[in-house]
Amino acid sequence: MKGVWHLAWRYLCFHKYKTLVLVASIGLIVFIPTGLNVLVKKGSEQLTARAEQTPLMLGRVGSPLELVLNGLYFQSDTPPPLNFGDYLAIKDMDMGQVIPLHTGFRSRGFPIIGTRLSYFSFRHLALQEGRWLGFLGEAVIGASVAKETGLQVGDTIISAPETAFNLAGAYPLKMTIVGVIGKTSTPDDDAIIVDLKTSWVMEGLGHGHTDLSKDDASGFILNQNGKSIIANAAVNQFQEITPENIRSFHFHGNNGTYPLHAVIVIPKDQKHSALLQGRYQSHAALQLQNPSSIIGKLLETVFSVRQYVLIGAFLMVLSAGAMSVLVFMLSQQLRAHELVAMKKIGAAKSFVVGMVTCEIVMVLVSGVLLGMILTLLSEKYGLVFLQSIIVSGV
Amino acid sequence: MGDYLSIKDLEFSYPDNQFQLSIKTLQVRRGERIAVVGPSGSGKTTLLNLIAGIVLPDVGTVTIGGKSVVAMPESQRRQFRIRNIGLVFQNFELIEYLTVLENILLVDYIEKPVAVMRVERAKVLAEKAGLSGNFYRYPHQLSQGEKQRVAICRALLTEPSLLLADEPTGNLDVNNKENVMSILLDYAASNDSTLITVTHDQNLLHLFDRIIDFNELIAAMEAGER
């Protein structure tokens, strides 16, 4: 019996490329349906988990899915902004905790989240290094941001200019990293978190510049009428907030009109949750959504699509299986001479059949093992991949 | 010395063509060296296949060492062939995915457990055949002469008492022809083995004790038909 296995093994080793292609085909045949199931299952669990941790989300009227996906995962298009005044209004209702989110900027492809310190405790985030936000212009980065960019505490990061050719638009802001968040395997790993006011500085709503009241600033003054000073275009605007210039930073206009993209709402209890949802149910400008229910609807769509994908995968599996059988059959035809010679020398028909069977068994077992390994890997590492597909595809 | 190989009243035909082979009687002594000559398609290879029990005659008997090859059950005939008959083919019939050493040991892979495989004997045979540096090379890395020497070593592994060689020098140059024939003849002489060789090469006929000419056989068959 050992001779049968030895000859089969030697055949497969000699034709290593053909063997590898067959093993890979069978591996994929196993992996595609099982891996897809695992990915969808684990992905939906993670999507649902973050949504379930976020009781309600307030945003501007528009796409509920866009609001929830942006507020939870910082993905998809930025939803239309609501006003800071809307945040203050729901806060004043005193029905629970409210956390503002500004998600309009990015740096090196990572989202910059303007929020309050309460966000860290709400998401149970822990520092791996450094400290939490203390001053305007500081940033705390997620574990993946630190890993992928190599940035550490003390380094600086610059926000991407949103309107490079618009003089009135947002200018890049250089921020100092003061902390790195420990890995959470959530979208917070990919986030750069700053104070809400820092986001508004990026918006151009707040700024710092040369002190125009000083005697040596006369060259920057266009017009002065009592305390009202109008600077000319030569005034030096700060692109970085430092201990030296932080006092010069100030905001213009009514902060109640400043933009936010979502507000996380954590009602005190079920009753307050119901009251809040009732109040915003027919609001003309705002929507208060339950992320869990929105993600549930999204997953229903994903699951219904999965059925079609599985049917497609099944057809692919059938065709790949048929191709593998064809390759085996053609191989036997090509080997007819060799197999006849073995029989002439003295091999029984059962020996030849056994040898070919051993080859098929070895390829099948290797292929199935490969498929299982791929499935296990996808279970462990495929979540972020799946999440990005689902979220970016919406 | 009695007959080692005996064929009597043998008739054979392939079911799908007109070919027919009839041999009234053929007797070969132990240790005899026989050359089989004749035109292509006259049945020389078929005769070797009939002697080896690879194909069976329609009628008649083939007896080797007193045992009827025709009467044996298939599995017994196979075992008998492995243990007593060494086969050398014109096209070598080496297994492309096995090394030289593994090709020589092929019969052991087919028949024996690994523990009793004749690895040392295979190495000695290969060394005697001038293949000592080629143990772990594959057939496609060998010359034609080397391939045939590997095929001969494979046939000699079991120390057969009957060697059947089908045009063993057909694909070889002059030097390799002499080399291959000397290996076969030396083995037959030193082991008192019977050697039956199909050949077209008239220059080799002087090496054999007897020549079976299929031209005469065909003429006899035609005379019989008339």
Side-chain angles (χ1 to χ4, degrees):
Chain A
M1 192 62 188
K2 179 103 176 180
V4 169
W5 287 101
H6 179 82
L7 295 183
W9 172 246
R10 298 291 288 120
Y11 176 82
L12 295 177
C13 289
F14 188 80
H15 298 284
K16 50 183 176 289
Y17 296 116
K18 189 180 84 176
T19 304
L20 285 175
V21 168
L22 280 170
V23 167
S25 304
I26 291 163
L28 284 176
I29 286 169
V30 174
F31 169 67
I32 287 170
T34 57
L36 188 70
N37 258 336
V38 165
L39 279 174
V40 171
K41 190 177 167 217
K42 296 290 283 187
S44 66
E45 277 172 11
Q46 202 187 52
L47 280 169
T48 310
R50 194 164 168 94
E52 282 173 353
Q53 285 166 6
T54 313
L56 295 171
M57 192 166 277
L58 182 71
R60 187 89 181 168
V61 163
S63 162
L65 192 57
E66 196 174 72
L67 169 69
V68 168
L69 289 178
N70 188 264
L72 290 180
Y73 310 108
F74 318 133
Q75 299 282 344
S76 86
D77 293 336
T78 310
L82 65 162
N83 294 328
F84 186 63
D86 300 323
Y87 159 79
L88 292 174
I90 194 169
K91 190 182 177 195
D92 288 346
M93 290 177 197
D94 195 27
M95 291 197 186
Q97 188 185 3
V98 284
I99 303 169
L101 293 175
H102 183 290
T103 60
F105 295 103
R106 301 184 87 80
S107 175
R108 301 195 192 185
F110 298 104
I112 299 173
I113 311 304
T115 185
R116 291 276 160 88
L117 286 174
S118 51
Y119 180 80
F120 297 107
S121 53
F122 169 66
R123 290 284 183 217
H124 307 292
L125 302 178
L127 278 174
Q128 176 184 302
E129 194 188 344
R131 61 169 173 81
W132 296 119
L133 302 169
F135 299 95
L136 198 65
E138 290 179 343
V140 168
I141 58 174
S144 300
V145 179
K147 191 178 174 189
E148 286 177 36
T149 60
L151 290 169
Q152 298 172 2
V153 170
D155 292 338
T156 55
I157 191 164
I158 302 172
S159 65
E162 291 295 299
T163 48
F165 303 103
N166 179 3
L167 291 175
Y171 289 92
L173 180 69
K174 192 174 182 182
M175 296 166 284
T176 305
I177 296 164
V178 294
V180 177
I181 301 167
K183 189 167 175 57
T184 59
S185 298
T186 68
D188 294 317
D189 288 346
D190 295 311
I192 298 163
I193 302 177
V194 300
D195 184 76
L196 185 58
K197 285 184 175 175
T198 305
S199 288
W200 287 338
V201 170
M202 283 180 249
E203 287 271 7
L205 297 167
H207 61 180
H209 51 72
T210 312
D211 188 350
L212 297 174
S213 62
K214 287 187 176 175
D215 294 340
D216 58 357
S218 57
F220 301 123
I221 296 172
L222 185 68
N223 188 15
Q224 184 166 9
N225 185 6
K227 281 189 174 182
S228 172
I229 303 170
I230 300 171
N232 62 29
V235 71
N236 183 23
Q237 288 213 28
F238 301 124
Q239 300 304 312
E240 181 180 8
I241 304 167
T242 63
E244 291 74 36
N245 68 21
I246 191 167
R247 284 177 164 275
S248 77
F249 274 81
H250 54 278
F251 292 85
H252 292 275
N254 172 13
N255 72 355
T257 63
Y258 287 3
L260 296 173
H261 296 104
V263 177
I264 294 170
V265 181
I266 307 121
K268 288 176 180 171
D269 50 36
Q270 284 287 337
K271 181 186 161 189
H272 287 92
S273 174
L275 283 170
L276 277 169
Q277 288 182 74
R279 285 193 189 181
Y280 284 95
Q281 195 169 24
S282 52
H283 200 290
L286 299 171
Q287 56 173 332
L288 185 67
Q289 295 294 345
N290 180 338
S292 182
S293 119
I294 300 295
I295 292 297
K297 284 177 189 166
L298 169 65
L299 289 176
E300 277 176 26
T301 310
V302 171
F303 285 132
S304 64
V305 170
R306 186 180 65 165
Q307 301 305 317
Y308 295 106
V309 173
L310 278 175
I311 291 169
F314 178 70
L315 292 174
M316 204 177 80
V317 163
L318 271 185
S319 62
M323 287 295 284
S324 299
V325 170
L326 185 68
V327 168
F328 273 119
M329 287 170 68
L330 287 173
S331 292
Q332 298 321 301
Q333 277 188 13
L334 288 171
R335 296 173 69 187
H337 217 57
E338 165 207 333
L339 301 179
V340 167
M342 277 194 179
K343 284 182 190 167
K344 279 185 178 177
I345 288 167
K349 192 176 177 186
S350 61
F351 180 91
V352 174
V353 171
M355 190 178 75
V356 174
T357 306
C358 287
E359 286 164 15
I360 294 170
V361 166
M362 279 193 246
V363 169
L364 279 177
V365 169
S366 307
V368 170
L369 277 175
L370 176 69
M372 287 166 72
I373 289 167
L374 287 174
T375 304
L376 287 173
L377 286 174
S378 67
E379 189 170 9
K380 200 167 180 184
Y381 301 108
L383 286 173
V384 177
F385 177 66
L386 178 87
Q387 199 177 46
S388 65
I389 287 175
I390 291 175
V391 172
S392 63
V394 172
Chain B
M1 194 182 288
D3 294 332
Y4 175 66
L5 166 66
S6 170
I7 295 175
K8 280 185 184 160
D9 302 323
L10 181 140
E11 283 188 19
F12 175 81
S13 60
Y14 288 108
D16 53 350
N17 63 29
Q18 298 293 312
F19 176 84
Q20 193 171 2
L21 178 67
S22 296
I23 299 175
K24 188 75 182 162
T25 178
L26 174 65
Q27 277 152 350
V28 181
R29 296 188 315 276
R30 176 93 194 214
E32 195 174 10
R33 295 169 298 183
I34 292 179
V36 180
V37 295
S40 296
S42 58
K44 302 185 295 296
T45 300
T46 303
L47 173 64
L48 296 190
N49 286 339
L50 283 162
I51 295 170
I54 293 167
V55 292
L56 295 178
D58 301 329
V59 291
T61 59
V62 178
T63 309
I64 300 173
K67 291 180 181 169
S68 169
V69 174
V70 180
M72 288 178 194
E74 169 61 26
S75 61
Q76 198 181 331
R77 186 164 49 247
R78 203 171 45 71
Q79 291 289 331
F80 182 81
R81 183 159 73 243
I82 285 176
R83 285 169 193 165
N84 298 287
I85 303 173
L87 290 162
V88 180
F89 307 99
Q90 182 183 6
N91 294 324
F92 324 126
E93 307 289 9
L94 298 180
I95 309 298
E96 60 163 356
Y97 52 85
L98 297 181
T99 62
V100 164
L101 208 54
E102 288 170 325
N103 262 295
I104 296 172
L105 285 164
L106 182 61
V107 172
D108 280 1
Y109 282 118
I110 290 172
E111 200 203 11
K112 287 184 180 297
V114 171
V116 292
M117 283 180 65
R118 290 163 282 201
V119 180
E120 282 312 309
R121 174 161 171 76
K123 285 183 177 174
V124 169
L125 283 169
E127 278 167 7
K128 277 187 183 171
L131 295 164
S132 50
N134 298 316
F135 287 176
Y136 303 105
R137 296 177 79 186
Y138 289 90
H140 72 268
Q141 298 171 309
L142 303 176
S143 68
Q144 296 291 90
E146 286 170 332
K147 284 180 189 172
Q148 191 58 295
R149 278 181 274 155
V150 174
I152 291 171
C153 290
R154 181 177 66 190
L156 302 184
L157 183 77
T158 57
E159 300 177 71
S161 53
L162 175 60
L163 263 175
L164 302 175
D166 190 359
E167 299 192 44
T169 59
N171 289 324
L172 305 180
D173 58 33
V174 176
N175 287 338
N176 275 311
K177 276 180 188 175
E178 288 174 2
N179 199 344
V180 160
M181 282 315 300
S182 82
I183 295 171
L184 288 172
L185 292 164
D186 287 351
Y187 172 82
S190 57
N191 291 273
D192 193 28
S193 293
T194 305
L195 172 63
I196 301 176
T197 304
V198 170
T199 182
H200 280 116
D201 196 333
Q202 299 292 318
N203 296 326
L204 298 176
L205 296 182
H206 68 279
L207 298 169
F208 296 90
D209 302 322
R210 184 153 50 117
I211 296 164
I212 298 174
D213 190 344
F214 264 60
N215 288 311
E216 293 169 12
L217 203 67
I218 293 164
M221 281 167 61
E222 285 170 354
E225 280 173 13
R226 279 195 293 270

